[in-house]
Every structure is written in C-alpha cells, then in structure tokens.
Amino acid sequence: MSEEKEKKSPEETAAELKLKEAETRKTEAEARKTEAEATKAEMDANLSAMELEKARRSFLREKSHDEENRLYRFSGSVSEASVKKCMVKLTEWSRLEPKCDIEIVFSSPGGSIIDGFELFDFVQELRTKGHKITTGSLGMAASMAGILLQAGDVRWIGHQSWMMIHRAAFGAIGKTYEVEDEVKLVKRIEDRILDIFTSRSKLTRQKLRRNWDRKDWWIDADECVKVGLVDEIRGMMPEHEKE
C-alpha cells in the first residue's frame, strides 16, 4: 500500500522536473544579475577613478603655471608699458596673498632708467610688506635689467646667462644750460646706480667706474657670484656630465 503511495504519476514527475528547471533558471538568472551588478559597480569605480585622476592632473597643471607659483617672467625691454604690466601683476599677488613669496625672472636688454627705478622702488616696498622677493636672470640682464636684478632678497643667474653694466645714457639736445642740467641729472642717476651695486656686492665705486668706462662691461655667471652681484647660479650641468 505504501509503495503505491510513493509511486508518482508521469504528470507529477514532469511537474517536479519543470519546477526544478525553473528554480535552476532562477538561480542562474540571479547569479547573472549579481555578476552584472558587480561588473557595473567595477566599471563605475573605474570611471570614478579616471575622473578623479583627470581632476587631479588638471589641478596639478593649474598649480604648475607660473602665475600660481607667483613667478613673473620679465622679458624684453624695460619701458613704461612693461614696468606697469609687471607692477599690476605683483600688486594683484600681494593683495590676494599678503606676504607671499614672489619671483621675477629677467631676460632683458635693459631700457628706460626712470621706469626701471620705479619698479625697483616698488619691489623694495613689497619687501618691507613682508614679501620674500627672488630675482633671477636667464639669457641676460643688461643695463637697467642688471640693476633690477639687485632688487631681490635672493638673486640668481643662469649658468649660461650674462649681466651687463654700463654708464647711464641720455640724449641731451638743446641749449647749453639745458644740456648742463641733463648732464647733472645723469651724474646723479649714476651715483644712485653705484649705490645700488656697491650695497649689494663686493664691488667698489672705483672698480665699477673703471669697468663701465669701457662702454659695456659683460660679466658671466661665475664672475657675478665671485663679486657678489648674485647669490647663486642655477642651471649648471651635473658633475658626471661634465666628465
């Protein structure tokens, strides 16, 4: 009697098989769904990582810009326009970040003495406000640019760069007394130039006068350090490459 109860009809057996197949398909579907969700999560994580890396690189690019590092490259002649442009940018940095470090790199043949003195005094004012000013030169710092190089707390020059010092030059045209007045002005300006160079270097007024009377006195980086016109040289070849 019990054997008859345990014996199932073909219909029941078929139904059980269908149920098991359905459960198997369900389990497989759930597994595929879980796998798909895991894959999507991994892709989302990878995309997030890529976006984060992209944002990081963009941030680093922005931070690498000269302006972000408060570095001003003064290229070309010293003139009213170039001096004003430089002063506007330095003023902006000073107001946005009081007492921040500022660096000015000169690559200039010189130019207007009066406009250059304006920038020189402005840099001294920034120093009194607590800004550390670094001045440097790449290529050349000639004439007025060489004077401006002396304005920084720290002064440097590129190893292949040159400084040039010469006497003040003005074009005096007019009547005798007018020319005499301008000559007196030039002599007074030259005294100021001598004061700047002697106060920041080991040079004496006599040596400066003796050398700039030759017209143009070109000084290489090594000599600039030797006589104290700069504090350090940058851009020197590593020792192993010299060999």
Side-chain angles (χ1 to χ4, degrees):
M1 194 66 181
S2 59
E3 292 180 0
E4 291 179 0
K5 288 183 178 180
E6 290 179 1
K7 191 175 181 180
K8 297 178 181 178
S9 64
E11 291 79 6
E12 290 176 333
T13 302
E16 287 181 357
L17 288 173
K18 288 182 179 180
L19 180 60
K20 288 180 179 180
E21 289 176 358
E23 289 175 349
T24 300
R25 287 195 298 271
K26 180 181 178 183
T27 301
E28 291 174 349
E30 290 175 348
R32 288 194 298 271
K33 180 181 178 182
T34 301
E35 184 179 355
E37 290 174 348
T39 301
K40 184 177 183 300
E42 185 178 358
M43 290 177 62
D44 290 343
N46 288 336
L47 287 172
S48 296
M50 290 172 62
E51 289 297 324
L52 183 63
E53 178 63 16
K54 183 179 178 181
R56 187 184 72 84
R57 291 187 179 184
S58 177
F59 173 77
L60 291 176
R61 277 196 298 271
E62 288 293 325
K63 294 299 289 183
S64 70
H65 292 170
D66 286 346
E67 181 156 341
E68 288 294 324
N69 290 278
R70 305 294 186 258
L71 189 155
Y72 189 91
R73 298 188 186 275
F74 195 113
S75 300
S77 298
V78 178
S79 64
E80 180 180 359
S82 63
V83 165
K84 293 297 183 187
K85 183 180 178 182
C86 180
M87 289 172 58
V88 166
K89 183 52 65 177
L90 300 187
T91 298
E92 177 186 324
W93 291 343
S94 176
R95 290 174 178 173
L96 289 175
E97 191 177 347
K99 298 186 179 181
C100 66
D101 293 350
I102 294 174
E103 185 168 10
I104 310 169
V105 179
F106 294 96
S107 179
S108 169
S112 168
I113 295 176
I114 300 302
D115 292 310
F117 275 159
E118 181 181 4
L119 179 57
F120 189 95
D121 287 344
F122 182 75
V123 171
Q124 303 316 302
E125 182 184 358
L126 291 177
R127 291 175 67 188
T128 63
K129 290 180 177 179
H131 293 278
K132 179 183 176 182
I133 308 294
T134 298
T135 50
S137 175
L138 292 173
M140 69 174 170
S143 187
M144 191 64 222
I147 298 170
L148 286 168
L149 183 58
Q150 307 306 308
D153 295 280
V154 178
R155 304 157 300 161
W156 63 268
I157 190 168
H159 191 238
Q160 305 304 326
S161 300
W162 294 80
M163 183 185 297
M164 188 269 280
I165 299 174
H166 63 185
R167 300 190 67 171
F170 284 82
I173 300 175
K175 299 177 182 178
T176 302
Y177 65 85
E178 294 173 335
V179 173
E180 288 175 348
D181 286 341
E182 187 154 353
V183 170
K184 289 178 182 178
L185 172 62
V186 171
K187 289 182 177 179
R188 294 176 69 184
I189 288 174
E190 287 185 341
D191 280 338
R192 294 293 181 89
I193 293 172
L194 290 170
D195 287 341
I196 290 171
F197 280 125
T198 55
S199 67
R200 297 303 308 271
S201 73
K202 302 173 185 176
L203 294 170
T204 62
R205 297 172 76 91
Q206 290 74 19
K207 183 169 183 178
L208 281 161
R209 288 186 183 278
R210 186 167 61 250
N211 281 282
W212 77 9
D213 278 342
R214 302 180 311 181
K215 187 184 178 183
D216 294 339
W217 180 22
W218 288 95
I219 313 168
D220 66 24
D222 294 317
E223 189 177 0
C224 281
V225 172
K226 183 178 179 181
V227 300
L229 286 168
V230 296
D231 303 299
E232 60 186 71
I233 297 174
R234 297 186 184 177
M236 295 181 67
M237 291 174 60
E239 290 298 326
H240 71 276
E241 291 188 15
K242 295 179 183 179
E243 298 173 1

